[in-house]
Amino acid sequence: MNIVSKIKTYELKVVQQILALGPSVLSGMKCGRRFYFIDRQLWEFYERPLKQFVGDDFCLLIEALEENKSYLKLAGYYKALIEAGFTRNDCLVTFGGGILQDLSGFVASTLYRGIKWVFVPTTLLAQADSCIGSKTSINFEDSKNLIGTFYPPDLILVDLDFTRTLPDAAFNSGVGEIIKFHLLSDERRYARLKNFLASGDLRQSPHIREIITSTLEIKKSYFEQDEFDTGIRNLLNYGHCFGHALESASGFSVPHGIAVIAGMGFANRIALGRALINEALVRELELMLRPFYPAIDFDEVTPESIISYMKKDKKRTGPGLTMILLKDIGDAFKAQDLSEEEIGRVFDQWKKKN
Ligand SMILES: NC(=O)c1ccc[n+]([C@@H]2O[C@H](COP(=O)([O-])OP(=O)(O)OC[C@H]3O[C@@H](n4cnc5c(N)ncnc54)[C@H](O)[C@@H]3O)[C@@H](O)[C@H]2O)c1
């Protein structure tokens, strides 16, 4: 897949057995030395082949925690690269999911005002969604993604085999974003999503490759029209206004994509309260979404904390609270006039159902 970005055109390649192939898969990248940022848990699963892949090159292992995506941790990442002798001709290679991507992308976009960067996404979410689209994000205190840049990798290498070792919560988190993109697409793709969800064990689904490609195509169609997120791309925040607030209010114990699934269900209840969406569709989507967040304890989350984080949402531009609302499959809009009273009332009703 070729991605046309206003920053640079870059390529996403699907490669099988990337670790067995070794660093020769990077031979297309014209750069000096390679420096690696690798997800620590991934390293534990694939230590031997990753060690062989990295060889004597510099490697920093980073735990995939939202705290490590914080601006306070940035100094450590710059320091590690600078002290290891990184020059402008060298290349940062990241193996990991969305957290490693977000922090590496930010470092890559700012160190020496921009360095070469390769991303190997190893979670379902990163492979199907975050790897393209140019966004890099850093959390500010306990609010999500308030700091960031637009800076795509020079090359993305996807090996679907990595997802075999993903814990269930991380896998389902990726399914959350996949669902979101298909609800923002069209009836044909929505039918494809239903096929995928109906296919039993989703990890073994014969539709997995097709659904990842479909998700990337939907995302591409949005951001190639509005890469810098000033218009239509805002709609991809469906599920995120509530979802980000839930992640923060739960102390990041709820994984990102799972919070987005809960956020879509919540947004649908707001839309239903405003008679914008058909009740049968809300119920159909609830049946689809609910199994993905069995473990969230909503008693631990107060409407006040949700509202206080929603007030800090970066998509908010006026006095009202903001939320992307779905009216029908492929038909969403940005509501900017939500009141605290409406959020609190729907939250109380919604909590009883969950
Ligand atoms: N930049 C973007 O466009 C964008 C888009 C969506 C989400 N995000 C961000 O992505 C983050 C979520 O990313 P994620 O869902 O990929 O989660 P993650 O990066 O937190 O990884 C989830 C878990 O899986 C582990 N892991 C990674 N690869 C593995 C593998 N192959 N086998 C076993 N374990 C593995 C990690 O160590 C971690 O414990 C959030 O911070 C979210 O804000 C960014």
Side-chain angles (χ1 to χ4, degrees), residues 125-342:
L125 181 142
Q127 294 185 348
D129 165 14
S130 64
C131 68
I132 62 169
S134 319
K135 285 188 181 176
T136 82
S137 301
I138 293 293
N139 300 327
F140 180 76
E141 296 180 341
D142 53 359
S143 290
K144 284 275 300 191
N145 298 350
L146 294 193
I147 300 169
T149 55
F150 291 94
Y151 195 75
D154 297 276
L155 176 66
I156 300 164
L157 298 171
V158 176
D159 181 348
L160 300 180
D161 268 1
F162 276 122
T163 59
R164 279 186 303 110
T165 48
L166 271 184
D168 284 344
F171 187 88
N172 287 339
S173 184
V175 176
E177 292 281 10
I178 287 173
I179 294 175
K180 177 201 79 181
F181 280 102
H182 285 77
L183 298 186
L184 294 172
S185 180
D186 54 43
E187 286 293 343
R188 184 179 59 89
R189 288 192 193 264
Y190 180 55
R192 177 180 289 169
L193 171 76
K194 288 202 270 195
N195 257 345
F196 168 63
L197 294 177
S199 58
D201 180 359
L202 299 183
R203 289 169 185 273
Q204 307 300 331
S205 165
H207 304 294
I208 185 100
R209 190 179 170 140
E210 181 198 341
I211 202 86
I212 290 175
T213 309
S214 171
T215 309
L216 289 168
E217 285 167 355
I218 302 167
K219 180 160 185 185
K220 193 170 180 283
S221 73
Y222 271 87
F223 79 75
E224 284 188 345
Q225 294 177 65
D226 173 30
E227 184 169 4
F228 300 122
D229 204 6
T230 54
I232 191 170
R233 188 174 179 177
N234 273 204
L235 301 182
L236 299 183
N237 274 288
Y238 173 46
H240 284 63
C241 308
F242 181 87
H244 278 163
L246 178 61
E247 279 185 88
S248 296
S250 71
F252 296 116
S253 64
V254 180
H256 174 74
I258 303 287
V260 169
I261 298 185
M264 289 188 279
F266 185 81
N268 294 344
R269 283 279 149 188
I270 294 274
L272 186 63
R274 294 178 168 210
L276 295 170
I277 187 171
N278 178 316
E279 186 160 3
L281 179 60
V282 173
R283 292 199 187 288
E284 178 176 320
L285 294 179
E286 274 171 357
L287 284 176
M288 179 186 285
L289 303 175
R290 189 65 190 88
F292 289 97
Y293 56 95
I296 302 179
D297 182 356
F298 289 102
D299 286 333
E300 298 283 304
V301 181
T302 62
E304 291 75 24
S305 64
I306 291 287
I307 289 165
S308 79
Y309 286 111
M310 282 185 67
K311 283 183 177 168
K312 294 185 205 156
D313 188 326
K314 64 182 174 302
K315 291 286 177 295
R316 182 171 177 232
T317 51
L321 296 171
T322 300
M323 191 169 284
I324 307 301
L325 301 181
L326 190 76
K327 294 200 272 187
D328 204 344
I329 302 303
D331 183 6
F333 75 104
K334 181 175 173 181
Q336 307 199 69
D337 58 345
L338 277 82
S339 67
E340 295 183 25
E341 185 278 324
E342 185 178 18

